[in-house]
Amino acid sequence: MIAALFALQQAFEDLVVRGLRSSGPDDVRRLQAIGEDFGRAGAGYIADLVGKLVHLVREADSEAPRALLRAQTAMRVFERVLSLDAAVEALAGEHGGDAAATEPAREPPPLPDKKALVPVLEELAGLVEGLVGSGLTTASAATKQKLDASFKEASRLKLLRLATSLRYVGDELARFLAESEHFSARRLAFFLNRTWLISRGLLEAIAEDDRPALARLLLASAPQPVKSLKLAMIGVQKRALLDGSAAFEFRFRTLADDSGIPRGTRLVWSCVFGAKKGVPAEAFLHLPQAQKFTPKILLDAKQLVVTDAAVALDDAGGRLMLGPKSTVTQGAPVAITPELVHWDPKRAVERIRRHRISPLDLEVELQEEIVVEGWELGAPGDNPFRPEQRVFPVRAGGLELDAVVSSGPDGETLGAALNAFRREAKQGPPRPPLFGLVHYEMGRLVFQPLTALAPTGPVHLMISNDKIDLASLMKTMDFTS
């Protein structure tokens, strides 16, 4: 079934890029065969939707784009159900978890004037349906300008979830028009569908005055001001693209009950840097932030004191937000103890069971911070579902994880670290516990190792130890571009 799901996903991606009106007999036969596979496997609902899409494409019906987007939506939900069921089965074991609980109700943020909002949403949904019908081969700079205008309007109306999806669609369209090797049909198809779902969903929720639906679609939470926080940095995730841009996501634990935030709360802070060709990603960590600290100080095993910030909490922890008046300073050395990084599989199972599955889900939205001990590492192989990744099989107790390593620049340091672990003699010292992130995708537990919790202190596996000549670097970087 996973193979059929992946084949259907690829077929949808090809149709979105090519456009339904440009699809040929071979495309239709391929889609029909995949739909029949779902029917034989007992997934009749998916098979029926695919069958209807095949019929509409053959008839060149104007409803075909909506049918594709509906089928893509159902496929997405089906994948999430399969993956989360597999995750519960893998994680539960002796840790069981309680019966499914209801997700806490959200109160939707105030909406702008609905009369002004409705035409914007209708135009956006129509724009997506038009793109799916015609494909990217007819797209132009004018199409990109129209998407950019829609992004700005969604941002102005504070529809931030919708604006984020539009930004990703615009980015992928720009890559396609530039014939960039970084273009991803997978990202384009996903975020086009997400934009359409949010637009159509909001229109329906507004028409029916369905406030719970509005809250789920807007997914907004009000940040909580915090006067002071004491933090320990546990791990950092690096993303570096071939165009020279980079992003870092730092993961913390609170060390005290401060400003209404309990001790042990998981917090995340992110920083993003624009493209600078030929600059190693770690070099950006030496650049001062608006709050007059350099992110490289976060890598030291020292207590961090943050003042005048805000925290947006969720069921996994929260996101740390720094403002113009925020400060970040170092304190005394801090030990990364098991108490700080303890992982409770039962809590993960309960969180999955509470979760209300939605086609808007990102795989990483349910990710968990975990610690694995006594682990074994297999030889790397290709990821059948993500060609841009390599997979190291990890076994820890009864768990089987796919440790993923990017084949791009952000995977070089991590890949070298994992291969070094594999070369260690079996009679050598025990491998240190690994801290990282796990999410659930295509029926597998996907693991992103971040930190080796060595006795001498944490080793950040994605961060290179290469020396950076900052003086020379500053001379070569053009900050006006």
Side-chain angles (χ1 to χ4, degrees):
M1 182 52 70
I2 294 298
L5 259 176
F6 184 58
L8 184 59
Q9 176 181 297
Q10 287 189 309
F12 285 161
E13 290 165 5
D14 292 343
L15 288 172
V16 166
V17 173
R18 186 180 294 115
L20 291 177
R21 289 194 287 273
S22 301
S23 58
D26 288 344
D27 299 311
V28 177
R29 282 193 291 270
R30 174 191 177 195
L31 195 60
Q32 183 177 17
I34 296 171
E36 290 170 354
D37 287 343
F38 275 91
R40 284 189 291 271
Y45 182 68
I46 301 290
D48 288 347
L49 288 174
V50 173
K52 183 177 181 180
L53 172 60
V54 167
H55 172 74
L56 292 174
V57 172
R58 281 178 171 157
E59 297 296 319
D61 195 294
S62 61
E63 284 295 306
R66 286 197 187 188
L68 187 150
L69 289 160
R70 290 191 186 102
Q72 186 183 2
T73 299
M75 176 201 70
R76 181 72 181 170
V77 172
F78 190 66
E79 185 276 331
R80 297 318 298 150
V81 170
L82 283 181
S83 293
L84 296 187
D85 282 351
V88 168
E89 184 177 350
L91 294 174
E94 300 176 357
H95 306 288
D98 299 328
T102 56
E103 196 174 43
R106 289 178 181 267
E107 181 64 23
L111 281 172
D113 180 12
K114 294 178 182 178
K115 290 183 179 179
L117 189 59
V118 166
V120 172
L121 295 171
E122 288 177 338
E123 183 179 4
L124 263 178
L127 176 62
V128 172
E129 291 162 10
L131 270 175
V132 170
S134 62
L136 296 193
T137 53
T138 63
S140 64
T143 312
K144 176 67 168 64
Q145 290 172 357
K146 195 168 185 179
L147 280 170
D148 290 344
S150 298
F151 164 74
K152 291 176 182 177
E153 184 66 6
S155 300
R156 184 185 70 81
L157 294 171
K158 300 189 185 305
L159 304 175
L160 301 184
R161 200 181 196 190
L162 184 57
T164 300
S165 294
L166 279 167
R167 189 194 73 193
Y168 283 115
V169 171
D171 288 348
E172 290 308 320
L173 178 58
R175 292 186 181 106
F176 180 86
L177 294 174
E179 299 182 0
S180 169
E181 62 183 309
H182 306 305
F183 169 73
S184 169
R186 180 179 180 274
R187 282 195 299 267
L188 175 77
F190 175 78
F191 283 106
L192 266 177
N193 179 259
R194 190 177 173 91
T195 300
W196 180 79
L197 272 175
I198 295 173
S199 300
R200 288 288 178 204
L202 285 173
L203 283 168
E204 184 174 317
I206 289 171
E208 298 177 2
D209 196 24
D210 187 339
R211 294 184 64 78
L214 285 171
R216 290 194 302 272
L217 287 163
L218 295 171
L219 197 65
S221 56
Q224 172 182 337
V226 291
K227 186 63 180 173
S228 178
L229 290 172
K230 297 180 182 66
L231 307 173
M233 206 283 284
I234 310 297
V236 56
Q237 187 173 19
K238 177 180 74 176
R239 297 183 181 90
L241 299 181
L242 293 173
D243 66 358
S245 60
F248 297 86
E249 193 168 76
F250 294 88
R251 295 186 167 268
F252 305 95
R253 294 288 192 278
T254 54
L255 298 174
D257 294 325
D258 286 325
S259 301
I261 308 298
R263 185 178 188 274
T265 300
R266 299 167 172 84
L267 294 179
V268 179
W269 177 74
S270 303
C271 53
V272 180
F273 301 92
K276 298 293 178 184
K277 285 277 190 179
V279 176
E282 286 79 0
F284 292 114
L285 299 178
H286 293 257
L287 300 180
Q289 297 290 294
Q291 294 79 19
K292 299 181 180 178
F293 76 97
T294 56
K296 69 181 179 64
I297 71 168
L298 306 180
L299 301 173
D300 300 333
K302 293 185 178 180
Q303 182 182 110
L304 297 159
V305 180
V306 177
T307 66
D308 296 318
V311 170
L313 296 173
D314 56 34
D315 66 342
R319 185 160 290 274
L320 176 66
M321 293 173 282
L322 303 180
K325 296 181 179 180
S326 302
T327 65
V328 180
T329 55
Q330 284 185 329
V334 61
I336 308 301
T337 63
E339 180 190 14
L340 277 179
V341 294
H342 172 67
W343 175 54
D344 181 5
K346 180 179 178 180
R347 176 184 173 277
V349 170
E350 290 171 351
R351 187 176 173 221
I352 293 170
R353 287 177 167 162
R354 282 198 309 271
H355 180 67
R356 180 172 179 168
I357 293 173
S358 159
L360 294 172
D361 291 351
L362 293 171
E363 290 89 347
V364 296
E365 284 177 343
L366 266 185
Q367 71 185 1
E368 289 281 336
E369 296 181 356
I370 73 169
V371 178
V372 294
E373 301 184 64
W375 48 278
E376 299 175 0
L377 190 64
D382 294 334
N383 187 338
F385 309 119
R386 297 285 190 94
E388 74 278 10
Q389 291 178 344
R390 300 276 283 167
V391 173
F392 287 77
V394 175
R395 293 176 181 82
L399 281 182
E400 293 187 2
L401 308 167
D402 289 349
V404 293
V405 178
S406 169
S407 56
D410 48 354
E412 292 175 0
T413 303
L414 176 59
L418 294 182
N419 278 317
F421 281 128
R422 290 192 67 241
R423 289 193 297 269
E424 290 178 352
K426 291 184 179 180
Q427 302 303 319
R431 289 173 173 154
L434 282 184
F435 167 80
L437 305 170
V438 69
H439 71 268
Y440 322 113
E441 181 178 356
M442 287 294 181
R444 297 291 298 169
L445 271 63
V446 180
F447 181 46
Q448 177 71 86
L450 297 182
T451 311
L453 302 174
T456 54
V459 179
H460 301 298
L461 300 176
M462 298 193 80
I463 304 299
S464 171
N465 290 323
D466 292 346
K467 296 292 184 182
I468 293 174
D469 184 345
L470 193 57
S472 298
L473 184 67
M474 295 297 284
K475 293 178 183 178
T476 62
M477 292 181 73
D478 177 13
F479 292 98
T480 63
S481 62

